[in-house]
Amino acid sequence: MNILRLEPEGGILSNCVATDQFVFTAGSVADDLTLDVKGQTRQTLAYIDQVLAQAGTNKSKIVWANIWLADIKLRDAMNEAWLAWVDPKNLPARACVESRMANPRYLVEIQVIAAK
């Protein structure tokens, strides 16, 4: 089995690990923390598009998504950005939960698993 590790970060993790069959992303967050949750979600999903492409796949092949929100009340606004981005013909399984974030300015964090 071939394993490709992309974007190692700080000796702690790789932001993406791809095998012959699957691509796993680390939890991804926005760079611009002045944005509202929709903006942070859009920026995070754009990054996920980029890293999936580097690993040889795309959002239509996502099989699982895990979404953490700083406040579950942000779910509807996050879902607006999610629904504008996700492939409606290939919806993944998904969990969306409230969680205390590593940085209090993070409003959303998203991790996905995609098939190759």
Side-chain angles (χ1 to χ4, degrees):
M1 174 189 321
N2 295 311
I3 300 175
L4 173 65
R5 299 174 196 282
L6 298 170
E7 300 189 16
E9 192 171 302
I12 298 172
L13 59 92
S14 294
N15 281 310
C16 181
V17 176
T19 69
D20 297 331
Q21 295 180 319
F22 289 99
V23 176
F24 305 83
T25 69
S28 300
V29 295
D31 291 327
D32 185 350
L33 302 182
T34 65
L35 297 171
D36 65 8
V37 72
K38 281 174 66 173
Q40 285 192 24
T41 301
R42 284 187 199 115
Q43 193 174 70
T44 301
L45 294 172
Y47 172 75
I48 289 171
D49 275 334
Q50 176 187 8
V51 76
L52 289 176
Q54 288 175 7
T57 193
N58 62 67
K59 66 185 171 188
S60 73
K61 295 188 178 179
I62 294 173
V63 296
W64 170 255
N66 200 9
I67 301 171
W68 296 272
L69 292 170
D71 185 335
I72 201 65
K73 293 175 187 167
L74 300 171
R75 187 171 184 248
D76 289 343
M78 178 279 302
N79 271 334
E80 288 182 35
W82 172 266
L83 290 170
W85 174 82
V86 74
D87 183 340
K89 294 180 182 175
N90 296 292
L91 295 171
R94 187 185 102 166
C96 180
V97 298
E98 180 178 288
S99 180
R100 186 168 38 169
M101 302 299 207
N103 179 330
R105 296 188 309 155
Y106 294 149
L107 300 178
V108 61
E109 181 172 348
I110 303 171
Q111 178 268 334
V112 302
I113 300 171
K116 282 280 257 266

